[in-house]
């Protein structure tokens, strides 16, 4: 594996800012430039990068996590399993154990503390991981099964399936909660995509606080940059946050998006935007 490889996360404090537009177009440009790039869609609850990249999927595997199964004939109803579980996935009701697999976080604590060995951890399916390729661009994403409530275990499985490449682009879920942190962990740099609206600025501040806490360097990309009052630019200037690029509120971009097309392919006048952004990112992540 190339020890000089870099990982760039693309995130946003809220949904609908254009995060996937930036991530897919940037990935495409990097693949054309280096011949060695991988796009990773960690928004496993609603992945949509494949709509634009259109990869040929050649590998699929089931992702699982574990949950406790209790042998009632062996169980002595001591309650130690319920005491250690912080999520109440296993409790004793009356003198019987009750397990809620969907609430289990797969820590295995209940199995460890059971004094009679009545608890055994079993696998359950949570989704699938798919990988493939579109031209020079490698592709990985995950799909969380309907009814599953926890995406971080599947995100870990997706990240564990990333092939070696010079540049990895991670398309994160929106927001600042646990799935985002799981997706962004270990990134060399993060591009925060925002829009210049009061809601966009509010959530950008939350994302900046998160990355400051994680000590991951970041810059900002402003989508629909010609709307709003300029408060986002003032905020970035006041915090010495670099603005890596901007896209105007161009109806043709929305039309291209609705057709599942990438900007770099359908609108030639934007062709130089993402290569210029990549040059900035290379300088910031050089090892």
């Amino acid at each position: 594996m190339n020890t000089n490889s870099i990982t760039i996360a693309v995130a946003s404090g809220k949904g609908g800012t254009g995060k996937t537009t930036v991530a897919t177009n940037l990935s495409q440009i990097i693949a054309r430039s280096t011949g060695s790039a991988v796009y990773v869609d960690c928004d496993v609850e609603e992945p949509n990068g494949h709509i634009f990249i259109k990869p040929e999927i050649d590998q699929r595997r089931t992702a699982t996590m574990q949950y406790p199964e209790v042998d009632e004939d062996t169980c002595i109803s001591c309650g130690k399993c319920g005491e250690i579980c912080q999520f109440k996935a296993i409790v004793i009701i009356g003198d019987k154990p009750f397990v809620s697999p969907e609430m289990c976080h797969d820590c295995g604590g209940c199995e460890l503390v059971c004094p009679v060995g009545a608890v055994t951890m079993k696998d359950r399916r949570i989704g699938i991981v798919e990988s493939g390729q579109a031209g020079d661009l490698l592709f990985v994403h995950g799909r969380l099964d309907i009814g599953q409530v926890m995406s971080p275990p599947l995100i870990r499985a997706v990240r564990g399936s990333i092939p070696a490449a010079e540049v990895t682009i991670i398309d994160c879920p929106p927001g600042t909660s646990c799935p985002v942190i799981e997706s962004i962990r270990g990134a060399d740099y993060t591009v925060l995509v925002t829009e210049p609206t009061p809601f966009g600025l509010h959530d950008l501040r939350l994302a900046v606080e998160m990355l400051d806490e994680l000590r991951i360097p970041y810059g900002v990309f402003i989508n629909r940059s010609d709307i709003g009052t300029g408060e986002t630019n003032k905020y970035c200037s006041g915090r010495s946050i670099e603005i890596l690029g901007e896209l105007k509120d161009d109806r043709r971009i929305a039309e291209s998006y609705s057709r599942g097309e990438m900007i770099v392919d359908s609108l030639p006048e934007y062709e130089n935007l993402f290569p210029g952004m990549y040059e900035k990112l290379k300088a910031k992540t050089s090892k």
Side-chain angles (χ1 to χ4, degrees), residues 197-262:
T197 64
F199 288 120
L201 180 55
H202 172 271
D203 292 326
L204 174 62
R205 288 192 175 104
L206 295 178
V208 164
E209 290 176 8
M210 173 189 69
L211 290 169
D212 283 342
E213 188 70 23
L214 294 172
R215 298 182 179 180
I216 297 175
Y218 54 86
V220 166
F221 186 101
I222 303 178
N223 192 23
R224 303 172 69 205
S225 59
D226 51 339
I227 66 172
T229 61
E231 291 300 315
T232 300
N233 296 72
K234 292 178 183 178
Y235 168 75
C236 291
S237 177
R239 291 291 306 268
S240 299
I241 301 171
E242 182 174 357
I243 296 177
L244 301 165
E246 299 182 9
L247 270 177
K248 292 184 179 181
D249 187 22
D250 188 337
R251 179 185 176 89
R252 295 173 304 159
I253 294 176
E255 292 172 348
S256 174
Y257 183 93
S258 71
R259 295 191 297 266
E261 298 171 353
M262 283 198 258

Side-chain angles (χ1 to χ4, degrees), residues 78-95:
C78 66
K80 289 185 177 180
C81 55
E83 291 173 4
I84 198 172
C85 183
Q86 300 298 302
F87 302 97
K88 305 303 180 186
I90 182 168
V91 295
I92 300 297
I93 299 177
D95 61 351

Side-chain angles (χ1 to χ4, degrees), residues 103-120:
M103 297 299 292
C104 179
H105 282 57
D106 193 6
C107 73
C110 53
E111 184 179 33
L112 291 173
V113 300
C114 180
V116 294
V119 180
T120 304

